[in-house]
């Protein structure tokens, strides 16, 4: 755990582990918050491993416990990404299954405790395959996908951007290739940020994953087109209209942030191969 300390300028950080469990030791996995718990899916479980794991581990930050999920049929994946849908489903997108890159969607129904293989909707135009990509939520059922594609696209100088629409009622997904392109990237990070100026709105920035030292814009939306959804530990979502952390105090409460801290954000950080994780907060005032 790390909190703002009392160093020079008041910007010091102090770290301490809050959990220690071999189930958390993995790399190239996904870690997704859903209903106040963190779901770790797949990844490589040892140095030098080539076969991805198919297990799913749930970490409860309140109790500091990690438990392997007993749901059968979990996808064997690494270098994938995942996103929550409808406060119920955990959707795993793309990744490496040990033999090829995929663009499919597998979903864990957390209420039934069962994995489902969703099917492409009519008109879906999927990429050749995805690894080390990012999936950024634009709404509860829509993701913006950016990153390394398989097949002949791997050799291209530019990478395509896709919008992925998810339909939990029909158990389907639909890819749409966008008109914009970015530099070919893999292992990068993506952040949806609020933009200011004469035309405020939101923009999706990509960081790293290529030789460029500059972030790249992978999407822009006018004011009111994008809303930030915060998953609550009891299930369901609430809307954060601004990125100032004010509406995110619920997350801070269950993460153990002191009640008096203002403008608080909270996250979970996994330390690669280390058998530890950290829940941290920052007081930005």
């Amino acid at each position: 755990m790390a909190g703002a300390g009392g160093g020079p300028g008041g910007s010091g950080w102090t770290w301490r582990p809050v959990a220690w469990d071999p189930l958390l030791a993995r790399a190239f996995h996904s870690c997704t918050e859903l209903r106040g718990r963190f779901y770790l899916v797949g990844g490589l479980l040892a140095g030098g491993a080539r076969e991805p794991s198919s297990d799913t581990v749930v970490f409860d930050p309140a109790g500091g416990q990690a438990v392997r999920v007993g749901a059968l049929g979990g996808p064997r994946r690494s270098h994938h990404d995942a996103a929550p849908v409808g406060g119920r489903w955990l959707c795993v997108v793309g990744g490496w299954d040990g033999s090829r890159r995929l663009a499919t969607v597998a979903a864990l129904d957390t209420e039934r405790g069962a994995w489902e293989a969703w099917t492409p909707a009519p008109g879906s135009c999927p990429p050749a395959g995805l690894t080390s990509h990012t999936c950024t939520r634009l709404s509860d059922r829509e993701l913006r996908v950016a990153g390394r594609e398989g097949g002949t696209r791997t050799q291209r100088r530019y990478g395509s951007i896709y919008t992925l629409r998810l339909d939990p009622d029909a158990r389907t997904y639909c890819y749409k290739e966008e008109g914009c392109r970015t530099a070919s990237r893999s292992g990068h990070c993506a952040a949806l940020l609020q933009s200011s100026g004469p035309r405020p709105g939101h923009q999706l920035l990509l960081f790293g994953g290529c030789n460029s030292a500059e972030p790249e814009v992978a999407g822009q939306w006018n004011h009111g087109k994008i809303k930030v959804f915060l998953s609550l530990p009891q299930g369901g979502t609430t809307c954060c209209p601004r990125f100032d952390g004010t509406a995110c105090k619920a997350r801070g409460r269950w993460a153990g942030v002191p009640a008096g801290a203002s403008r608080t954000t909270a996250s979970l950080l996994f330390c690669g191969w280390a058998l530890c994780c950290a829940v941290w907060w920052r007081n930005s005032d």
Side-chain angles (χ1 to χ4, degrees):
M1 181 182 294
S11 59
W13 293 90
T14 301
W15 289 91
R16 64 181 178 87
V18 296
W20 187 279
D21 196 304
L23 291 176
L24 303 179
R26 58 190 65 218
F28 306 112
H29 57 289
S30 60
C31 177
T32 311
E33 187 272 327
L34 180 60
R35 293 189 175 184
R37 300 191 297 176
F38 292 86
Y39 288 77
L40 286 77
V41 176
L44 302 179
L45 304 187
R50 296 185 178 181
E51 290 295 322
S53 171
S54 61
D55 75 344
T56 302
V57 172
V58 177
F59 176 73
D60 182 0
Q65 289 186 326
V67 179
R68 180 176 282 113
V69 176
L72 299 177
R76 188 178 297 275
R77 296 286 189 277
S78 68
H79 302 81
H80 56 283
D81 204 356
V85 175
R88 171 177 174 177
W89 289 272
L90 175 68
C91 291
V92 174
V93 180
W96 177 256
D97 70 353
S99 61
R100 60 193 177 111
R101 291 183 175 97
L102 303 172
T104 56
V105 175
L108 174 64
D109 186 336
T110 59
E111 291 187 0
R112 296 194 303 113
W115 281 97
E116 304 169 344
W118 290 10
T119 57
S124 179
C125 297
L130 295 165
T131 54
S132 300
H133 54 288
T134 52
C135 294
T136 305
R137 290 181 81 191
L138 304 181
S139 70
D140 189 46
R141 298 191 179 191
E142 188 174 77
L143 309 176
R144 180 59 60 96
V145 181
R148 180 64 56 82
E149 297 175 59
T152 58
R153 293 175 183 265
T154 305
Q155 306 300 323
R156 292 186 178 181
R157 183 179 179 184
Y158 297 98
S160 299
I161 303 295
Y162 292 87
T163 296
L164 176 59
R165 291 181 174 85
L166 303 165
D167 187 346
D169 299 323
R171 307 299 200 269
T172 60
Y173 59 91
C174 185
Y175 283 96
K176 175 190 175 184
E177 185 172 357
E178 299 295 330
C180 58
R181 289 182 175 178
T182 66
S184 181
R185 296 174 184 267
S186 64
H188 58 283
C189 294
L192 184 64
L193 303 177
Q194 188 173 21
S195 57
S196 56
R199 295 183 178 180
H202 292 86
Q203 60 181 353
L204 177 63
L205 297 181
L206 305 182
F207 299 85
C210 67
N211 291 330
S212 174
E214 299 294 329
E216 192 170 10
V217 177
Q220 291 181 308
W221 296 267
N222 294 330
H223 178 70
K225 295 292 185 180
I226 298 292
K227 291 182 172 61
V228 181
F229 290 89
L230 169 66
S231 297
L232 299 177
Q234 295 82 7
T237 58
T238 185
C239 175
C240 296
R242 297 182 296 159
F243 280 88
D244 61 1
T246 302
C248 299
K249 292 181 180 178
R251 184 184 296 271
R253 284 196 294 270
W254 64 258
V257 180
S262 59
R263 295 189 63 181
T264 301
T265 61
S267 299
L268 185 74
L269 178 65
F270 287 88
C271 310
W273 293 114
L275 307 183
C276 67
C277 62
V279 176
W280 58 270
W281 67 82
R282 180 178 65 181
N283 189 337
S284 57
D285 286 343

